[in-house]
Amino acid sequence: MAAYKAKQMIVMRRDLKMRKGKIAAQAGHACVDAVLKALAAHRSQGLAAALADDGEPVFAAGDDSALAAWFSAGVAKVCVYVDGEEALLDVAEQGMDRGFVVSLVRDAGITEFHGEPTYTCLAFEPLFPEQVDPITGDLPLY
């Protein structure tokens, strides 16, 4: 397995004090959505990303994208946190302004949050550190 060159950043809201299972579910929703959107964008740009028999993505030889590097090295994820909706939305805006895929999760509020739809977390598409660290590098680990 190659050394990690790219990572997927997950940003959680710590102020919500979600149960561990809720945190895992919300982060999972964000991660999967961001990766699927990144794969779709990769294919739409004419870059091959087929699936092998084992279900792993296959990238074209010479594909030096963060997405290809991320899959080839073991799908590194880093979870950091913010305290509050405004901070979460600010991180999302910074990513979108740079043209990155950002999956912002808004929970329906049925099982928690007193029936109020609530932004809980976000995930970026897999990116190289020099791309995402200017946005998330100062955020504390969750």
Side-chain angles (χ1 to χ4, degrees), residues 30 33 44 58 91 121 127:
D33 187 59
S44 72
V58 177
V91 170
C121 67
L127 295 165

mmCIF file with all atom_site columns, all heavy atoms in Angstrom, residues 30 33 44 58 91 121 127:
data_model
loop_
_atom_site.group_PDB
_atom_site.id
_atom_site.type_symbol
_atom_site.label_atom_id
_atom_site.label_alt_id
_atom_site.label_comp_id
_atom_site.label_asym_id
_atom_site.label_entity_id
_atom_site.label_seq_id
_atom_site.pdbx_PDB_ins_code
_atom_site.Cartn_x
_atom_site.Cartn_y
_atom_site.Cartn_z
_atom_site.occupancy
_atom_site.B_iso_or_equiv
_atom_site.pdbx_formal_charge
_atom_site.auth_seq_id
_atom_site.auth_comp_id
_atom_site.auth_asym_id
_atom_site.auth_atom_id
_atom_site.pdbx_PDB_model_num
ATOM 1  N N   . ALA A 1 30  ? -21.983 11.994 5.181   1.00 0.00 ? 30  ALA A N   1
ATOM 2  C CA  . ALA A 1 30  ? -21.178 13.033 4.538   1.00 0.00 ? 30  ALA A CA  1
ATOM 3  C C   . ALA A 1 30  ? -20.053 12.423 3.708   1.00 0.00 ? 30  ALA A C   1
ATOM 4  O O   . ALA A 1 30  ? -19.818 12.842 2.570   1.00 0.00 ? 30  ALA A O   1
ATOM 5  C CB  . ALA A 1 30  ? -20.617 13.991 5.595   1.00 0.00 ? 30  ALA A CB  1
ATOM 6  N N   . ASP A 1 33  ? -21.408 10.584 0.489   1.00 0.00 ? 33  ASP A N   1
ATOM 7  C CA  . ASP A 1 33  ? -21.926 11.556 -0.471  1.00 0.00 ? 33  ASP A CA  1
ATOM 8  C C   . ASP A 1 33  ? -20.793 12.303 -1.172  1.00 0.00 ? 33  ASP A C   1
ATOM 9  O O   . ASP A 1 33  ? -20.800 12.457 -2.396  1.00 0.00 ? 33  ASP A O   1
ATOM 10 C CB  . ASP A 1 33  ? -22.861 12.533 0.230   1.00 0.00 ? 33  ASP A CB  1
ATOM 11 C CG  . ASP A 1 33  ? -23.567 13.466 -0.739  1.00 0.00 ? 33  ASP A CG  1
ATOM 12 O OD1 . ASP A 1 33  ? -24.284 12.971 -1.636  1.00 0.00 ? 33  ASP A OD1 1
ATOM 13 O OD2 . ASP A 1 33  ? -23.391 14.697 -0.607  1.00 0.00 ? 33  ASP A OD2 1
ATOM 14 N N   . SER A 1 44  ? -17.086 12.655 -15.284 1.00 0.00 ? 44  SER A N   1
ATOM 15 C CA  . SER A 1 44  ? -17.627 13.655 -16.207 1.00 0.00 ? 44  SER A CA  1
ATOM 16 C C   . SER A 1 44  ? -16.533 14.504 -16.841 1.00 0.00 ? 44  SER A C   1
ATOM 17 O O   . SER A 1 44  ? -16.731 15.101 -17.887 1.00 0.00 ? 44  SER A O   1
ATOM 18 C CB  . SER A 1 44  ? -18.655 14.539 -15.508 1.00 0.00 ? 44  SER A CB  1
ATOM 19 O OG  . SER A 1 44  ? -18.023 15.416 -14.604 1.00 0.00 ? 44  SER A OG  1
ATOM 20 N N   . VAL A 1 58  ? -10.907 1.867  -10.470 1.00 0.00 ? 58  VAL A N   1
ATOM 21 C CA  . VAL A 1 58  ? -9.696  1.733  -11.275 1.00 0.00 ? 58  VAL A CA  1
ATOM 22 C C   . VAL A 1 58  ? -9.512  3.048  -12.019 1.00 0.00 ? 58  VAL A C   1
ATOM 23 O O   . VAL A 1 58  ? -10.397 3.486  -12.744 1.00 0.00 ? 58  VAL A O   1
ATOM 24 C CB  . VAL A 1 58  ? -9.815  0.570  -12.286 1.00 0.00 ? 58  VAL A CB  1
ATOM 25 C CG1 . VAL A 1 58  ? -8.571  0.499  -13.157 1.00 0.00 ? 58  VAL A CG1 1
ATOM 26 C CG2 . VAL A 1 58  ? -10.057 -0.737 -11.562 1.00 0.00 ? 58  VAL A CG2 1
ATOM 27 N N   . VAL A 1 91  ? -16.870 26.926 7.005   1.00 0.00 ? 91  VAL A N   1
ATOM 28 C CA  . VAL A 1 91  ? -15.938 25.945 6.435   1.00 0.00 ? 91  VAL A CA  1
ATOM 29 C C   . VAL A 1 91  ? -16.476 25.446 5.097   1.00 0.00 ? 91  VAL A C   1
ATOM 30 O O   . VAL A 1 91  ? -15.734 25.340 4.116   1.00 0.00 ? 91  VAL A O   1
ATOM 31 C CB  . VAL A 1 91  ? -15.686 24.780 7.415   1.00 0.00 ? 91  VAL A CB  1
ATOM 32 C CG1 . VAL A 1 91  ? -14.924 23.646 6.744   1.00 0.00 ? 91  VAL A CG1 1
ATOM 33 C CG2 . VAL A 1 91  ? -14.952 25.272 8.650   1.00 0.00 ? 91  VAL A CG2 1
ATOM 34 N N   . CYS A 1 121 ? -22.666 18.189 10.165  1.00 0.00 ? 121 CYS A N   1
ATOM 35 C CA  . CYS A 1 121 ? -21.280 17.949 9.766   1.00 0.00 ? 121 CYS A CA  1
ATOM 36 C C   . CYS A 1 121 ? -21.138 18.161 8.266   1.00 0.00 ? 121 CYS A C   1
ATOM 37 O O   . CYS A 1 121 ? -22.114 18.397 7.556   1.00 0.00 ? 121 CYS A O   1
ATOM 38 C CB  . CYS A 1 121 ? -20.843 16.531 10.127  1.00 0.00 ? 121 CYS A CB  1
ATOM 39 S SG  . CYS A 1 121 ? -21.677 15.233 9.205   1.00 0.00 ? 121 CYS A SG  1
ATOM 40 N N   . LEU A 1 127 ? -8.765  15.207 -0.900  1.00 0.00 ? 127 LEU A N   1
ATOM 41 C CA  . LEU A 1 127 ? -7.932  16.300 -1.393  1.00 0.00 ? 127 LEU A CA  1
ATOM 42 C C   . LEU A 1 127 ? -6.501  16.132 -0.898  1.00 0.00 ? 127 LEU A C   1
ATOM 43 O O   . LEU A 1 127 ? -6.250  15.453 0.104   1.00 0.00 ? 127 LEU A O   1
ATOM 44 C CB  . LEU A 1 127 ? -8.473  17.646 -0.904  1.00 0.00 ? 127 LEU A CB  1
ATOM 45 C CG  . LEU A 1 127 ? -9.856  18.048 -1.420  1.00 0.00 ? 127 LEU A CG  1
ATOM 46 C CD1 . LEU A 1 127 ? -10.425 19.180 -0.593  1.00 0.00 ? 127 LEU A CD1 1
ATOM 47 C CD2 . LEU A 1 127 ? -9.797  18.408 -2.887  1.00 0.00 ? 127 LEU A CD2 1
#
